[in-house]
Amino acid sequence: MTGATGPFRPDGCVVHADGQDTAEVGAHVGVQEATDPAAHLTVTEFTDPACPWAWGSEPAFRLLRHSLGPRVRWRRVFGILFDEDDDPAPDPDAEARWYERFIADVAVHTRAPYARRLHRLTRTSWPASLAAKASAKQGADLAEHVLRRLRESTFVLGTPADSYAGVRDVVRGVPGLDLDRLLDGMAAASTWDAVRADRARTRRPIAQVLELEGTGPHPGRAKELGDGRRYALPTVLFDGPGGQICVPGWQPVESYFEAARTAAAAPLPGPARMPARDALEQWRTLTGPELAVLTGASQPPAGAARLDTGNGPLWLHPDEANSYPAIAELSHQPE
């Protein structure tokens, strides 16, 4: 992976632990809670299931979560990239083709897979964000699996999960998931309140990213909106005794580890890579960049199922292939 600016420079995107966001960190439903009682580091990831830069950053984020493990509390904040009040495209197919090209341009830098054809532009980020938020009630591992399926609905299947029916269809078959409970959770007032809070928080970026200047394809300057600004996606905040460290936009994996060490003000483990077979067992699907970053390998483990996309394969655990959405219509075969 190649980076753009550094983890919290050129403008020193550092805020002390009493900065504007720190007090709010614990208010949001988390995906991964610290199990080490000595943990003093919170990681807040601003994301959206339909964001191609967030999708391309998954190798770094998976490695970081795995390596730091119980030492951190990891929070996801869903920024609502596609809002419900956005005007509909006058020519939906032309809009889809434009976004398809945008995704391909992003993949030049991230090397992430993308669908052979994007059947439509995401109509709204709300259903997928509600589902991802509600899934956390069923445990961290299930939440990871659900969010991954939601991301893959856009970037592998080309049919964004932007409705309740779309969410249901794409997460059906996730092992251990109580689908009815998830769908009920999506409609719950508490889930809507949590995602509304996420949306609002994403539109209160810290001052250091408002005028951030940097090189590279996506340095992470806050995005201008009609009624204000929001964090660029993804943006990650690290909060700990060493202060609040911001890592905005598209960054190399080393930047996240450096930021974590600075915020923790203590030694932390470095990247902990694992055998390819173990990685596929844990995460169920792996992109080519994930295989390289998480395992250092160039080939998947024996028995992995291959699903061809418009930009390289997605490798699936055999059990995942058996329950994968629309798998019968897609090309996959054991290696």
Side-chain angles (χ1 to χ4, degrees):
M1 301 171 68
T2 58
T5 60
F8 36 85
R9 301 174 178 89
D11 282 14
C13 187
V14 180
V15 179
H16 291 296
D18 58 353
Q20 70 180 75
D21 280 316
T22 305
E24 300 180 65
V25 165
H28 297 277
V29 176
V31 171
Q32 175 179 300
E33 291 289 346
T35 56
D36 184 344
H40 296 293
L41 184 65
T42 296
V43 179
T44 306
E45 174 194 350
F46 293 86
T47 191
D48 187 283
C51 174
W53 288 109
W55 167 243
S57 298
E58 278 286 275
F61 295 163
R62 280 183 161 186
L63 182 64
L64 185 69
R65 289 194 300 270
H66 168 68
S67 301
L68 300 184
R71 297 167 182 83
V72 301
R73 292 178 296 164
W74 192 289
R75 299 280 191 262
R76 284 204 179 92
V77 176
F78 294 97
I80 307 297
L81 183 61
F82 297 95
D83 217 335
E84 296 240 318
D85 57 1
D86 291 343
D87 293 332
D91 185 339
D93 187 65
E95 190 85 353
R97 300 290 72 74
W98 175 84
Y99 203 67
E100 192 175 62
R101 290 190 295 272
F102 174 67
I103 291 171
D105 289 344
V106 170
V108 170
H109 306 284
T110 66
R111 299 185 296 113
Y114 51 76
R116 288 174 167 172
R117 181 172 181 82
L118 182 66
H119 298 291
R120 65 171 185 278
L121 185 66
T122 301
R123 292 176 293 226
T124 168
S125 293
W126 279 91
S129 299
L130 290 164
K133 186 69 72 173
S135 69
K137 298 292 187 180
Q138 298 190 45
D141 290 342
L142 274 171
E144 288 294 316
H145 203 159
V146 166
L147 179 55
R148 181 59 174 222
R149 284 274 186 99
L150 295 167
R151 294 193 196 279
E152 290 173 0
S153 72
T154 294
F155 300 109
V156 176
L157 302 174
T159 307
D162 55 6
S163 67
Y164 279 79
V167 168
R168 179 197 62 216
D169 291 346
V170 83
V171 304
R172 181 184 282 122
V174 169
L177 178 69
D178 185 332
L179 183 56
D180 289 338
R181 181 184 174 193
L182 177 71
L183 296 174
D184 288 344
M186 290 174 62
S190 59
T191 308
W192 278 86
D193 288 344
V195 177
R196 286 190 189 103
D198 281 4
R199 181 191 180 281
R201 188 180 179 195
T202 306
R203 284 152 180 78
R204 294 193 302 271
I206 58 175
Q208 282 78 2
V209 299
L210 296 182
E211 305 299 331
L212 181 67
E213 298 293 340
T215 59
H218 186 47
R221 181 173 178 161
K223 298 296 183 180
E224 298 279 355
L225 302 175
D227 57 352
R229 298 185 183 183
R230 67 160 171 80
Y231 281 110
L233 304 178
T235 290
V236 182
L237 300 179
F238 296 81
D239 285 278
Q244 185 181 81
I245 313 299
C246 176
V247 188
W250 167 247
Q251 300 290 349
V253 64
E254 295 82 6
S255 297
Y256 297 102
F257 282 91
E258 180 184 348
R261 288 191 293 269
T262 302
L268 289 174
R273 292 179 172 84
M274 63 173 69
R277 177 177 295 279
D278 294 346
L280 192 62
E281 185 69 33
Q282 176 170 335
W283 284 294
R284 315 307 281 181
T285 67
L286 295 171
T287 66
E290 286 171 337
L291 188 65
V293 169
L294 295 168
T295 75
S298 59
Q299 296 298 319
R306 176 184 179 123
L307 193 160
D308 288 315
T309 75
N311 191 40
L314 180 74
W315 301 105
L316 297 91
H317 188 281
D319 293 343
E320 184 74 5
N322 290 335
S323 65
Y324 203 74
I327 198 71
E329 301 172 17
L330 299 168
S331 167
H332 73 288
Q333 63 208 34
E335 281 292 302

